[in-house]
Amino acid sequence: QVALVESGGGSVQTGGSLILSCGASGYINNRYCMAWFRQAPGKEREGVATFDIDGIATYEDSVKGRFFIFEGIAENTLYLQMNNLKSEDTAMYYCAARWIYCSMGWRDFGVWGQGTQVTVSS
């Protein structure tokens, strides 16, 4: 049983930075695609970034060059470094895992954390 726990959310001003963490416990190894999703009020959950089993990162267009997904040295922690935050980045951010294959579609993922709120204000 894989469990994911996010942390690091909070309130920040426009242009600021945050780093989100996702700790994985249970049987999880480098055969899982790891990803970050977000969901703003009234909007569908959307993919933000994925980290595949070969260590290749993929980003949603609006966060390219601002957000960076990476794994910790121990490889049981996933991070999302978020820079130059904008008001439209305000959302609940979720960590997710999927066996082998990566996707930006939230319906493809079966393992989820509880989410961490990010609020960006001017």
Side-chain angles (χ1 to χ4, degrees):
Q1 187 76 18
V2 176
L4 304 174
V5 179
E6 304 95 334
S7 61
S11 296
V12 64
Q13 290 189 324
T14 302
S17 297
L18 282 174
I19 183 165
L20 305 182
S21 301
C22 172
S25 62
Y27 185 69
I28 191 164
N29 55 30
N30 61 1
R31 302 303 290 173
Y32 278 84
C33 167
M34 301 297 296
W36 287 97
F37 290 81
R38 65 186 180 187
Q39 188 167 19
K43 294 189 176 181
E44 187 173 1
R45 191 169 296 190
E46 65 173 356
V48 175
T50 64
F51 193 84
D52 73 13
I53 61 173
D54 295 317
I56 297 173
T58 301
Y59 298 94
E60 190 269 330
D61 285 346
S62 71
V63 307
K64 285 180 181 177
R66 300 189 297 122
F67 289 14
F68 301 94
I69 185 172
F70 59 97
E71 288 187 338
I73 294 174
E75 294 187 356
N76 63 349
T77 304
L78 182 74
Y79 298 94
L80 184 69
Q81 173 71 48
M82 304 186 295
N83 301 321
N84 190 22
L85 283 160
K86 304 176 180 180
S87 58
E88 51 262 44
D89 296 319
T90 295
M92 183 72 79
Y93 283 72
Y94 298 90
C95 176
R98 183 190 185 197
W99 177 250
I100 305 265
Y101 300 109
C102 265
S103 164
M104 281 289 189
W106 67 269
R107 292 180 178 85
D108 296 328
F109 286 75
V111 182
W112 292 88
Q114 83 289 351
T116 186
Q117 178 68 38
V118 172
T119 302
V120 185
S121 57
S122 58

